[in-house]
Amino acid sequence: KKPYEGFKNQQETLAEIYRILNQLHGLVARLKRMRVQIQCVLKSVDSREDKEEIKKAGEELLKQIADCEAKLIQPKQQTIQDVINFRSGINIQISYLAELLEEAGPMEVDNVVLRLKEFKANWEQYRMEINKIIDEQVEKFNSLLQEKNIPHVF
């Protein structure tokens, strides 16, 4: 191989890793915004007679969001010691691949590409699961809120 090909492959792989990380963090940010909105809705219905139905649906949705979020990032991690205590989310695992590529000069990326392929399969599965929650469960919750004349979650 020509020397620049190793560098080119390395840079293409890095670009793909960062594209995935941007998508992942964008989706996590969206989940967090939805979580805050749902929590606000649940607080605002406390005085309503029909609050139990809304709270039950909202809490179930919050649990689904938290489960998805935990697969992507590690929300429990608060100190440096927590790296040992809690399993890293997929974002840290993918970031590690970027670190490997960034630390060295042009290198063979075959092993990183192989590991990245595994992550992409997992990421695609998680992304479909999250999109299903957003498309179906959030929409179902919004329909319930609309029925009750309560502003919905975006």
Side-chain angles (χ1 to χ4, degrees):
K1 283 185 175 178
K2 296 178 183 174
Y4 69 87
E5 286 181 20
F7 183 73
K8 180 181 174 211
N9 291 341
Q10 181 183 17
Q11 294 306 305
E12 288 172 352
T13 304
L14 271 171
E16 186 171 9
I17 289 170
Y18 286 123
R19 182 186 57 75
I20 291 169
L21 281 171
N22 285 337
Q23 287 176 350
L24 189 150
H25 289 137
L27 200 50
V28 168
R30 184 172 180 197
L31 289 173
K32 285 182 179 186
R33 285 190 306 272
M34 285 192 305
R35 181 172 12 103
V36 168
Q37 291 176 33
I38 294 166
Q39 289 167 336
C40 287
V41 167
L42 295 181
K43 285 179 186 174
S44 73
V45 298
D46 276 339
S47 61
R48 293 178 62 108
E49 288 182 18
D50 56 358
K51 69 182 175 187
E52 291 307 316
E53 180 184 10
I54 298 165
K55 284 194 173 242
K56 182 179 177 188
E59 287 168 1
E60 175 60 34
L61 186 53
L62 287 173
K63 183 184 178 322
Q64 291 175 353
I65 288 171
D67 290 346
C68 287
E69 198 176 35
K71 291 175 186 173
L72 302 178
I73 61 170
Q74 181 44 266
K76 295 177 185 175
Q77 188 171 328
Q78 295 181 359
T79 69
I80 195 139
Q81 191 68 25
D82 287 342
V83 172
I84 298 167
N85 298 327
F86 303 111
R87 178 178 167 82
S88 295
I90 193 172
N91 67 324
I92 298 299
Q93 296 172 37
I94 293 174
S95 294
Y96 176 71
L97 293 180
E99 286 177 30
L100 286 175
L101 292 176
E102 288 174 341
E103 287 178 358
M107 59 184 272
E108 292 295 321
V109 296
D110 295 343
N111 290 333
V112 173
V113 169
L114 184 62
R115 188 68 177 125
L116 181 60
K117 194 179 284 189
E118 293 172 14
F119 282 125
K120 283 171 56 177
N122 289 339
W123 164 236
E124 198 55 42
Q125 179 185 352
Y126 296 148
R127 196 168 70 155
M128 287 174 26
E129 184 180 324
I130 292 166
N131 284 334
K132 184 176 179 182
I133 288 171
I134 292 169
D135 294 342
E136 294 175 12
Q137 300 304 319
V138 172
E139 189 56 41
K140 183 177 170 183
F141 186 65
N142 282 337
S143 294
L144 174 64
L145 296 178
Q146 189 174 14
E147 256 177 52
K148 311 285 185 183
N149 294 320
I150 299 171
H152 61 281
V153 176
F154 297 100

PDB file of all heavy atoms in Angstrom, residues 91-112:
ATOM      1  N   ASN A  91     -21.550   5.033  23.597  1.00  0.00           N
ATOM      2  CA  ASN A  91     -20.845   6.248  23.180  1.00  0.00           C
ATOM      3  C   ASN A  91     -19.377   6.216  23.612  1.00  0.00           C
ATOM      4  O   ASN A  91     -18.493   6.612  22.846  1.00  0.00           O
ATOM      5  CB  ASN A  91     -21.546   7.502  23.706  1.00  0.00           C
ATOM      6  CG  ASN A  91     -21.483   7.638  25.213  1.00  0.00           C
ATOM      7  OD1 ASN A  91     -21.539   6.651  25.952  1.00  0.00           O
ATOM      8  ND2 ASN A  91     -21.384   8.855  25.681  1.00  0.00           N
ATOM      9  N   ILE A  92     -19.091   5.751  24.802  1.00  0.00           N
ATOM     10  CA  ILE A  92     -17.709   5.672  25.293  1.00  0.00           C
ATOM     11  C   ILE A  92     -16.944   4.600  24.531  1.00  0.00           C
ATOM     12  O   ILE A  92     -15.771   4.778  24.186  1.00  0.00           O
ATOM     13  CB  ILE A  92     -17.676   5.385  26.809  1.00  0.00           C
ATOM     14  CG1 ILE A  92     -18.348   6.517  27.588  1.00  0.00           C
ATOM     15  CG2 ILE A  92     -16.249   5.149  27.295  1.00  0.00           C
ATOM     16  CD1 ILE A  92     -17.690   7.874  27.421  1.00  0.00           C
ATOM     17  N   GLN A  93     -17.601   3.504  24.248  1.00  0.00           N
ATOM     18  CA  GLN A  93     -16.943   2.422  23.526  1.00  0.00           C
ATOM     19  C   GLN A  93     -16.556   2.852  22.116  1.00  0.00           C
ATOM     20  O   GLN A  93     -15.459   2.541  21.641  1.00  0.00           O
ATOM     21  CB  GLN A  93     -17.849   1.184  23.503  1.00  0.00           C
ATOM     22  CG  GLN A  93     -18.104   0.627  24.901  1.00  0.00           C
ATOM     23  CD  GLN A  93     -19.136  -0.473  24.896  1.00  0.00           C
ATOM     24  OE1 GLN A  93     -19.187  -1.276  23.983  1.00  0.00           O
ATOM     25  NE2 GLN A  93     -19.963  -0.517  25.923  1.00  0.00           N
ATOM     26  N   ILE A  94     -17.436   3.576  21.456  1.00  0.00           N
ATOM     27  CA  ILE A  94     -17.124   4.066  20.113  1.00  0.00           C
ATOM     28  C   ILE A  94     -16.060   5.166  20.181  1.00  0.00           C
ATOM     29  O   ILE A  94     -15.164   5.230  19.337  1.00  0.00           O
ATOM     30  CB  ILE A  94     -18.401   4.561  19.394  1.00  0.00           C
ATOM     31  CG1 ILE A  94     -19.335   3.377  19.114  1.00  0.00           C
ATOM     32  CG2 ILE A  94     -18.060   5.260  18.084  1.00  0.00           C
ATOM     33  CD1 ILE A  94     -20.671   3.750  18.536  1.00  0.00           C
ATOM     34  N   SER A  95     -16.148   6.020  21.195  1.00  0.00           N
ATOM     35  CA  SER A  95     -15.133   7.069  21.368  1.00  0.00           C
ATOM     36  C   SER A  95     -13.745   6.474  21.556  1.00  0.00           C
ATOM     37  O   SER A  95     -12.750   7.042  21.097  1.00  0.00           O
ATOM     38  CB  SER A  95     -15.474   7.944  22.574  1.00  0.00           C
ATOM     39  OG  SER A  95     -16.653   8.652  22.350  1.00  0.00           O
ATOM     40  N   TYR A  96     -13.686   5.337  22.213  1.00  0.00           N
ATOM     41  CA  TYR A  96     -12.400   4.667  22.409  1.00  0.00           C
ATOM     42  C   TYR A  96     -11.767   4.307  21.065  1.00  0.00           C
ATOM     43  O   TYR A  96     -10.552   4.434  20.882  1.00  0.00           O
ATOM     44  CB  TYR A  96     -12.569   3.427  23.288  1.00  0.00           C
ATOM     45  CG  TYR A  96     -11.301   2.634  23.439  1.00  0.00           C
ATOM     46  CD1 TYR A  96     -10.240   3.123  24.206  1.00  0.00           C
ATOM     47  CD2 TYR A  96     -11.135   1.413  22.800  1.00  0.00           C
ATOM     48  CE1 TYR A  96      -9.062   2.413  24.341  1.00  0.00           C
ATOM     49  CE2 TYR A  96      -9.963   0.697  22.929  1.00  0.00           C
ATOM     50  CZ  TYR A  96      -8.931   1.200  23.697  1.00  0.00           C
ATOM     51  OH  TYR A  96      -7.762   0.498  23.819  1.00  0.00           O
ATOM     52  N   LEU A  97     -12.581   3.883  20.120  1.00  0.00           N
ATOM     53  CA  LEU A  97     -12.054   3.567  18.786  1.00  0.00           C
ATOM     54  C   LEU A  97     -11.465   4.811  18.138  1.00  0.00           C
ATOM     55  O   LEU A  97     -10.402   4.740  17.505  1.00  0.00           O
ATOM     56  CB  LEU A  97     -13.160   2.988  17.890  1.00  0.00           C
ATOM     57  CG  LEU A  97     -13.714   1.626  18.285  1.00  0.00           C
ATOM     58  CD1 LEU A  97     -14.800   1.199  17.299  1.00  0.00           C
ATOM     59  CD2 LEU A  97     -12.632   0.583  18.373  1.00  0.00           C
ATOM     60  N   ALA A  98     -12.130   5.934  18.312  1.00  0.00           N
ATOM     61  CA  ALA A  98     -11.597   7.188  17.761  1.00  0.00           C
ATOM     62  C   ALA A  98     -10.263   7.527  18.419  1.00  0.00           C
ATOM     63  O   ALA A  98      -9.320   7.950  17.737  1.00  0.00           O
ATOM     64  CB  ALA A  98     -12.602   8.318  17.961  1.00  0.00           C
ATOM     65  N   GLU A  99     -10.179   7.334  19.725  1.00  0.00           N
ATOM     66  CA  GLU A  99      -8.921   7.598  20.427  1.00  0.00           C
ATOM     67  C   GLU A  99      -7.791   6.736  19.879  1.00  0.00           C
ATOM     68  O   GLU A  99      -6.663   7.213  19.719  1.00  0.00           O
ATOM     69  CB  GLU A  99      -9.075   7.339  21.924  1.00  0.00           C
ATOM     70  CG  GLU A  99      -9.866   8.386  22.650  1.00  0.00           C
ATOM     71  CD  GLU A  99     -10.045   8.054  24.119  1.00  0.00           C
ATOM     72  OE1 GLU A  99      -9.166   7.382  24.705  1.00  0.00           O
ATOM     73  OE2 GLU A  99     -11.072   8.465  24.681  1.00  0.00           O
ATOM     74  N   LEU A 100      -8.081   5.469  19.617  1.00  0.00           N
ATOM     75  CA  LEU A 100      -7.056   4.575  19.061  1.00  0.00           C
ATOM     76  C   LEU A 100      -6.516   5.121  17.747  1.00  0.00           C
ATOM     77  O   LEU A 100      -5.309   5.109  17.503  1.00  0.00           O
ATOM     78  CB  LEU A 100      -7.627   3.174  18.818  1.00  0.00           C
ATOM     79  CG  LEU A 100      -7.871   2.290  20.025  1.00  0.00           C
ATOM     80  CD1 LEU A 100      -8.544   0.987  19.586  1.00  0.00           C
ATOM     81  CD2 LEU A 100      -6.576   1.987  20.753  1.00  0.00           C
ATOM     82  N   LEU A 101      -7.416   5.582  16.901  1.00  0.00           N
ATOM     83  CA  LEU A 101      -7.009   6.081  15.597  1.00  0.00           C
ATOM     84  C   LEU A 101      -6.295   7.425  15.688  1.00  0.00           C
ATOM     85  O   LEU A 101      -5.408   7.710  14.891  1.00  0.00           O
ATOM     86  CB  LEU A 101      -8.223   6.202  14.670  1.00  0.00           C
ATOM     87  CG  LEU A 101      -8.858   4.878  14.254  1.00  0.00           C
ATOM     88  CD1 LEU A 101     -10.099   5.146  13.416  1.00  0.00           C
ATOM     89  CD2 LEU A 101      -7.886   4.000  13.509  1.00  0.00           C
ATOM     90  N   GLU A 102      -6.688   8.245  16.628  1.00  0.00           N
ATOM     91  CA  GLU A 102      -6.102   9.577  16.739  1.00  0.00           C
ATOM     92  C   GLU A 102      -4.718   9.572  17.378  1.00  0.00           C
ATOM     93  O   GLU A 102      -3.918  10.462  17.129  1.00  0.00           O
ATOM     94  CB  GLU A 102      -7.033  10.498  17.548  1.00  0.00           C
ATOM     95  CG  GLU A 102      -8.266  10.874  16.787  1.00  0.00           C
ATOM     96  CD  GLU A 102      -9.254  11.673  17.626  1.00  0.00           C
ATOM     97  OE1 GLU A 102      -9.164  11.639  18.868  1.00  0.00           O
ATOM     98  OE2 GLU A 102     -10.106  12.325  17.022  1.00  0.00           O
ATOM     99  N   GLU A 103      -4.439   8.567  18.216  1.00  0.00           N
ATOM    100  CA  GLU A 103      -3.172   8.534  18.942  1.00  0.00           C
ATOM    101  C   GLU A 103      -1.989   8.199  18.057  1.00  0.00           C
ATOM    102  O   GLU A 103      -0.882   8.631  18.316  1.00  0.00           O
ATOM    103  CB  GLU A 103      -3.255   7.546  20.106  1.00  0.00           C
ATOM    104  CG  GLU A 103      -4.093   8.058  21.252  1.00  0.00           C
ATOM    105  CD  GLU A 103      -4.200   7.054  22.391  1.00  0.00           C
ATOM    106  OE1 GLU A 103      -3.653   5.936  22.268  1.00  0.00           O
ATOM    107  OE2 GLU A 103      -4.831   7.399  23.395  1.00  0.00           O
ATOM    108  N   ALA A 104      -2.186   7.412  17.070  1.00  0.00           N
ATOM    109  CA  ALA A 104      -1.079   6.954  16.235  1.00  0.00           C
ATOM    110  C   ALA A 104      -1.066   7.707  14.911  1.00  0.00           C
ATOM    111  O   ALA A 104      -2.014   8.397  14.555  1.00  0.00           O
ATOM    112  CB  ALA A 104      -1.226   5.456  15.982  1.00  0.00           C
ATOM    113  N   GLY A 105       0.002   7.528  14.183  1.00  0.00           N
ATOM    114  CA  GLY A 105       0.060   8.054  12.831  1.00  0.00           C
ATOM    115  C   GLY A 105      -0.756   7.146  11.927  1.00  0.00           C
ATOM    116  O   GLY A 105      -1.525   6.313  12.403  1.00  0.00           O
ATOM    117  N   PRO A 106      -0.577   7.283  10.632  1.00  0.00           N
ATOM    118  CA  PRO A 106      -1.313   6.418   9.707  1.00  0.00           C
ATOM    119  C   PRO A 106      -1.078   4.947  10.058  1.00  0.00           C
ATOM    120  O   PRO A 106       0.040   4.532  10.303  1.00  0.00           O
ATOM    121  CB  PRO A 106      -0.716   6.757   8.341  1.00  0.00           C
ATOM    122  CG  PRO A 106      -0.144   8.120   8.517  1.00  0.00           C
ATOM    123  CD  PRO A 106       0.288   8.218   9.941  1.00  0.00           C
ATOM    124  N   MET A 107      -2.136   4.203  10.149  1.00  0.00           N
ATOM    125  CA  MET A 107      -2.033   2.804  10.564  1.00  0.00           C
ATOM    126  C   MET A 107      -3.069   1.959   9.849  1.00  0.00           C
ATOM    127  O   MET A 107      -3.995   2.487   9.232  1.00  0.00           O
ATOM    128  CB  MET A 107      -2.236   2.704  12.077  1.00  0.00           C
ATOM    129  CG  MET A 107      -3.592   3.249  12.535  1.00  0.00           C
ATOM    130  SD  MET A 107      -3.835   3.268  14.313  1.00  0.00           S
ATOM    131  CE  MET A 107      -4.498   1.658  14.603  1.00  0.00           C
ATOM    132  N   GLU A 108      -2.883   0.679   9.954  1.00  0.00           N
ATOM    133  CA  GLU A 108      -3.890  -0.241   9.440  1.00  0.00           C
ATOM    134  C   GLU A 108      -5.118  -0.149  10.338  1.00  0.00           C
ATOM    135  O   GLU A 108      -5.007  -0.191  11.554  1.00  0.00           O
ATOM    136  CB  GLU A 108      -3.347  -1.676   9.440  1.00  0.00           C
ATOM    137  CG  GLU A 108      -2.237  -1.905   8.444  1.00  0.00           C
ATOM    138  CD  GLU A 108      -2.702  -1.752   7.012  1.00  0.00           C
ATOM    139  OE1 GLU A 108      -3.822  -2.188   6.696  1.00  0.00           O
ATOM    140  OE2 GLU A 108      -1.945  -1.185   6.224  1.00  0.00           O
ATOM    141  N   VAL A 109      -6.259  -0.016   9.753  1.00  0.00           N
ATOM    142  CA  VAL A 109      -7.475   0.198  10.530  1.00  0.00           C
ATOM    143  C   VAL A 109      -8.398  -1.018  10.513  1.00  0.00           C
ATOM    144  O   VAL A 109      -9.524  -0.934  10.991  1.00  0.00           O
ATOM    145  CB  VAL A 109      -8.240   1.450  10.026  1.00  0.00           C
ATOM    146  CG1 VAL A 109      -7.419   2.698  10.246  1.00  0.00           C
ATOM    147  CG2 VAL A 109      -8.658   1.314   8.590  1.00  0.00           C
ATOM    148  N   ASP A 110      -7.904  -2.143  10.008  1.00  0.00           N
ATOM    149  CA  ASP A 110      -8.769  -3.312   9.831  1.00  0.00           C
ATOM    150  C   ASP A 110      -9.457  -3.735  11.129  1.00  0.00           C
ATOM    151  O   ASP A 110     -10.664  -4.004  11.139  1.00  0.00           O
ATOM    152  CB  ASP A 110      -7.979  -4.480   9.253  1.00  0.00           C
ATOM    153  CG  ASP A 110      -7.483  -4.207   7.847  1.00  0.00           C
ATOM    154  OD1 ASP A 110      -8.022  -3.271   7.210  1.00  0.00           O
ATOM    155  OD2 ASP A 110      -6.564  -4.896   7.388  1.00  0.00           O
ATOM    156  N   ASN A 111      -8.715  -3.820  12.234  1.00  0.00           N
ATOM    157  CA  ASN A 111      -9.321  -4.250  13.496  1.00  0.00           C
ATOM    158  C   ASN A 111     -10.332  -3.225  14.012  1.00  0.00           C
ATOM    159  O   ASN A 111     -11.368  -3.591  14.548  1.00  0.00           O
ATOM    160  CB  ASN A 111      -8.241  -4.506  14.554  1.00  0.00           C
ATOM    161  CG  ASN A 111      -7.432  -5.735  14.234  1.00  0.00           C
ATOM    162  OD1 ASN A 111      -7.910  -6.647  13.573  1.00  0.00           O
ATOM    163  ND2 ASN A 111      -6.198  -5.764  14.697  1.00  0.00           N
ATOM    164  N   VAL A 112     -10.015  -1.954  13.858  1.00  0.00           N
ATOM    165  CA  VAL A 112     -10.938  -0.904  14.286  1.00  0.00           C
ATOM    166  C   VAL A 112     -12.200  -0.948  13.421  1.00  0.00           C
ATOM    167  O   VAL A 112     -13.311  -0.828  13.936  1.00  0.00           O
ATOM    168  CB  VAL A 112     -10.262   0.485  14.224  1.00  0.00           C
ATOM    169  CG1 VAL A 112     -11.266   1.593  14.508  1.00  0.00           C
ATOM    170  CG2 VAL A 112      -9.093   0.555  15.190  1.00  0.00           C
TER     171      VAL A 112
END
